[in-house]
Amino acid sequence: EFPIDTEADAVPKAQALPEEPEDVSPLCGMNFLCAEDNAINAEILELLLESKGAHCKIYPNGQELVDAFVRVKPGDYDIILMDVQMPVMDGYTATRQIRALEDPALAGIPILAMTANAFLEDMQKSKEAGMDEHLSKPVDIDALEQTVKRFRVILPIINSGLARFRR
């Protein structure tokens, strides 16, 4: 015989996130910082993001992206899309350097790996480097939208500099 929990009904219920209109992409209005060494892939990525109302700045290697990122203010970019295999500095090294930044608002920015290598060990390597998610190339805009929806809850916290959040 078990006692009845009289306070069970007093537990607050989770509030649902407001619904977005179906014709508005979750990418709309976002600013992406991207590392992509292939000019054709970079152009396609830019067109895809812009078609969804997003803006992006693309660098051809990890070193240039890191050099630019350390000069921005927290909140200038919402998410980094990081190619994994690049010349000069690969995406893993670039991610480690970003995660090591002193400013938690910059170091905690969501970083999504972009690579044609979609094996489990590749995904694990991305996670170990500090990347938050692993997207296969060519980039599937629907998969990117679904991934971004999961981060939309934490972006205001990251961008305000109140906390460093990494999954």
Side-chain angles (χ1 to χ4, degrees):
E1 200 171 305
F2 294 99
I4 295 174
D5 183 0
T6 58
E7 299 196 16
D9 291 336
V11 176
K13 294 186 179 175
Q15 293 182 354
L17 292 174
E19 289 290 322
E20 292 183 351
E22 286 186 32
D23 59 339
V24 176
S25 170
L27 307 180
C28 187
M30 294 186 73
N31 290 312
F32 289 85
L33 188 59
C34 310
E36 174 59 68
D37 65 316
N38 181 294
I40 293 172
N41 288 347
E43 186 176 342
I44 291 169
L45 178 62
E46 184 174 22
L47 289 171
L48 283 172
L49 291 172
E50 287 179 354
S51 75
K52 298 297 182 175
H55 304 283
C56 69
K57 176 69 177 164
I58 301 176
Y59 291 94
N61 64 64
Q63 184 65 60
E64 288 186 38
L65 182 138
V66 170
D67 290 346
F69 188 65
V70 298
R71 294 188 302 267
V72 302
K73 296 181 305 222
D76 283 353
Y77 291 100
D78 299 302
I79 291 180
I80 294 176
L81 300 178
M82 184 76 75
D83 187 5
V84 171
Q85 297 177 339
M86 294 178 290
V88 183
M89 180 187 290
D90 65 36
Y92 301 123
T93 305
T95 297
R96 285 187 203 95
Q97 287 192 10
I98 290 168
R99 295 298 185 222
L101 294 174
E102 289 184 27
D103 185 340
L106 290 176
I109 189 169
I111 301 176
L112 311 181
M114 295 188 308
T115 179
N117 303 330
F119 294 108
L120 188 57
E121 58 267 15
D122 298 309
M123 294 178 190
Q124 184 62 35
K125 196 171 177 183
S126 295
K127 293 281 188 187
E128 289 170 358
M131 296 181 187
D132 297 290
E133 291 291 336
H134 188 102
L135 300 172
S136 60
K137 284 166 91 175
V139 172
D140 176 348
I141 198 70
D142 293 329
L144 178 59
E145 285 179 321
Q146 291 304 311
T147 302
V148 166
K149 279 183 183 180
R150 292 194 305 265
F151 284 99
R152 287 189 72 111
V153 174
I154 63 164
L155 287 174
I157 297 168
I158 292 169
N159 291 339
S160 70
L162 297 176
R164 180 175 181 188
F165 179 84
R166 287 197 22 233
R167 295 177 355 132

